[in-house]
Amino acid sequence: MKNLIKNKNNIIIFAITIAVYVLIMILVNAGLLSRQMTSIIVPVCVNVMLAVSLCLIVGFLGELTLGHASFMSIGAYTGALITMNLTTLPVPVAFAIAIIAGGLVAGLFGILIGVPVLRLKGDYLAIVTLGFGEIIKSIINSLTVTGGAAGLSNIPKYSTYKQFTLIYIIMVLMILLIANLVNSRHGRAISSIRDNYIAAEATGIPVSRFKVTAFVISAVFAGIAGVIYAHNVGILKPGNFDYNKSIEILVMVVLGGMGNIKGSIIAAVILTLLPEVLRGLDDYRMLMYAVVLIAMMIFNNSAFKARLLEKKNLKSSEKEVE
């Protein structure tokens, strides 16, 4: 029965994925979207990637990190420098190399920061990762190769709405990889660390190894999102990746529900589109944005309590049957 329900849910998710892609392509090709909304299609995908990748750490591992934007910046600058210097190669090859290199370099920094820092917990980890983000921003700001405070410009635009199909495929693959990881044996080990750190360690789970693994995977995906972001906007500045960006990604994860991949996706889409939708309200735009955020959190909390009550009733029914 469980397998039947699972297969049915998978079919529904697959159908929704295809339907969303087809709908967006129809709207774009028919010219029904404004220039403003067309330009935000790729940023929506980028924010979904960032939210889902951070969900692995915050939602499933249970660790609070405030330096996710730093991994995005590492991937963005790495990918931009590669494509700007590999102009002789065909565009697909140069962009593929940039995506791979951006993810790997971000993952390398994930190892360097993850091994010593993940010994910390809670607020201490949050403060250290926040500091790491500021260090990366300062380094980028001082290097000549990154353009310093002026940043990089004239980055080839390889990931605009015209390449939406490729970006959408990358986003879907990323979501599938994280979803499969979470539902795998390793994913259950990661979730057990969140539920009870001491019990997980006592049962023989290599806690440090799984924490670093989750941290590095999240960093790699944030780096890939950064590469796509860089080749969409065409201009990079260190200020684009400050702690405000990390907080913005964290809000998407929290708003979507801790450990809820589907919720993180929905929250990322809403919070990316909302400022553009409310742009016509001028001075009241941020006020309405805050009101919508509060309303969504209240609704999310009520839905969470309803799910808990439903699970409790289901367990009670199962015990009565037995």
Side-chain angles (χ1 to χ4, degrees), residues 6 21 30 45 58 63 93 96 105 109 119-120 135 168 179 194 203 215 218 227 240 251-252 264 266 268 279 298-299:
K6 187 177 179 180
Y21 170 75
C45 295
V58 177
E63 298 290 358
V93 176
V105 174
F109 275 88
R119 298 175 185 274
L120 303 173
I135 290 170
Y168 193 78
R194 174 199 63 193
T203 54
F215 198 75
S218 180
V227 176
N240 296 340
V251 168
M252 294 174 187
S264 296
I266 295 169
R279 193 170 292 277
I298 294 172
F299 173 78

Side-chain angles (χ1 to χ4, degrees), residues 305-315:
K305 288 182 178 179
R307 286 196 300 270
L308 285 179
L309 183 62
E310 186 179 347
K311 287 181 180 179
K312 187 177 180 180
N313 293 335
L314 183 62
K315 286 182 180 179

